[in-house]
Each structure stands twice: as C-alpha cells, then as structure tokens.
Amino acid sequence: KKLLEMVRKNLLAHMGASGGQLYELGQALHLEMLPKTMVCVDISHLSGTQTVGSLVQFTNGIPAKSGYRKFIIKTVEGINDFASIEEVVLRYGKRILEGKEKRPDLLVIDGGRGQLNSALKSLHALNLSLPTIGLAKRLEEIYVSWAPIPLRLHPKNQGLQLLRALRDEAHRFAI
C-alpha cells in the first residue's frame, strides 16, 4: 500500500500543479483514466437571437486555445438550450468520428440534467461513447448519467475548481 501511494504521489508531482485536480476529478467521477483532455460546451444568445455554441478545451488542466470552437446554431429558432446543445454535440461528435477532432477524456455540458440528456441523445445518435457530465451553476451540482441524483463535491475540491474554471472559460468564450 505504501508503494502504491508513493507511485501516486510521484505521478502527481510529475504532472505538475494540475495533477491533483485531475486526480480528484477522476476519483469523484469514477473515471477509468485521468481526464487529461476535457472539453466544455456552453450556449449563448442575444435575447433568443444570434445563438452560438462554444466549446473550449483544457489539456492537463490548462486552456488549449487551439481546441476552442464556436458553432453558429443553424437548426434552432429562439431560446432552446436543449436543442442547441443537441446540435453542437452532434456536430462536434461528427468531427470526432471523421478524425477532425481528438476524442476528449471528458465532455462537460454547462447545465443540469436536461442539458446532459440533450448531449447524451446526440452522442447516442452517433453511436459515440464519451464520458459526459453536466455542471449546473447554481449549486455547482454535477449530473452524471449513472446516478439518479447529482453529485456535490466540497467547494474546495480541486476537481470541482477545475470544472468551474473550464465552465467559466466556455461561458466567457461564448459571449
């Protein structure tokens, strides 16, 4: 047990400051591997017009601007975040399947259960499996498909802090 703990500490030290965040996040979400590459989708609009979807990417806990994407929403009229998320995830998923985008270790959707279900619907339509969660702003609840109730991490949890930074960057980029 001591040897395994030493190996874990050495790995985290090798990964730098974000290693602890990635480890805590992976543990909290029961991920099979560390979420080294994470993307977050957010929707923004101007009173129901000019709706855009943003997608930002973090690699090893650091923004990777080359992975940022904006999607002008083409199939949705008015304010409909659920349908807009479906469109963005469908278009992004197709790019992954075509080899134009790298498959992320974690897909984060800005929103709760409804937004998560919209993203999962698009992934299912593409027969694409990606670890996907929803992060709701109000109480910082994490929605996962395998749990009936949202997860709540301690506010000082490093993994939650990383998710917040990712979500906030997606929101900033969308605006």
Side-chain angles (χ1 to χ4, degrees):
K1 186 175 180 180
K2 286 182 182 180
L3 182 60
L4 285 175
E5 182 60 22
M6 183 178 68
V7 168
R8 184 185 75 78
K9 285 181 180 178
N10 286 341
L11 283 172
L12 293 177
H14 177 70
M15 291 177 64
S18 65
Q21 291 177 318
L22 296 174
Y23 179 77
E24 283 195 25
L25 184 59
Q27 291 293 107
L29 300 177
H30 305 284
L31 299 175
E32 293 178 14
M33 56 189 287
L34 288 179
K36 292 181 183 178
T37 303
M38 299 185 296
V39 297
C40 183
V41 172
D42 188 20
I43 304 297
S44 185
H45 56 81
L46 251 141
S47 300
T49 65
Q50 299 179 346
T51 305
V52 296
S54 71
L55 183 142
V56 299
Q57 179 179 329
F58 276 25
T59 302
N60 291 323
I62 299 169
K65 306 251 178 176
S66 63
Y68 284 30
R69 304 283 181 267
K70 273 195 182 159
F71 297 86
I72 296 173
I73 302 301
K74 300 176 182 177
T75 63
V76 180
E77 302 252 348
I79 301 172
N80 188 338
D81 280 1
F82 302 126
S84 297
I85 286 171
E86 275 186 50
E87 179 181 329
V88 170
V89 173
L90 189 69
R91 289 167 60 187
Y92 178 65
K94 284 180 182 177
R95 292 182 58 81
I96 291 171
L97 293 174
E98 293 167 354
K100 295 178 181 175
E101 299 283 354
K102 182 184 172 199
R103 180 184 295 259
D105 300 320
L106 181 63
L107 173 59
V108 178
I109 305 300
D110 180 20
R113 177 77 58 200
Q115 288 86 349
L116 173 63
N117 288 339
S118 295
L120 294 173
K121 181 179 175 183
S122 291
L123 293 173
H124 181 73
L126 294 170
N127 198 25
L128 180 61
S129 177
L130 295 175
T132 306
I133 65 167
L135 179 62
K137 284 182 186 119
R138 200 175 122 231
L139 298 173
E140 303 294 5
E141 295 175 320
I142 300 170
Y143 289 84
V144 293
S145 61
W146 47 265
I149 59 172
L151 304 175
R152 283 196 179 165
L153 302 180
H154 189 278
K156 293 188 180 192
N157 179 289
Q158 293 182 44
L160 179 60
Q161 291 173 5
L162 179 59
L163 284 178
R164 277 190 202 132
L166 178 67
R167 190 239 358 251
D168 292 350
E169 179 65 1
H171 184 70
R172 183 204 64 78
F173 187 63
I175 291 173

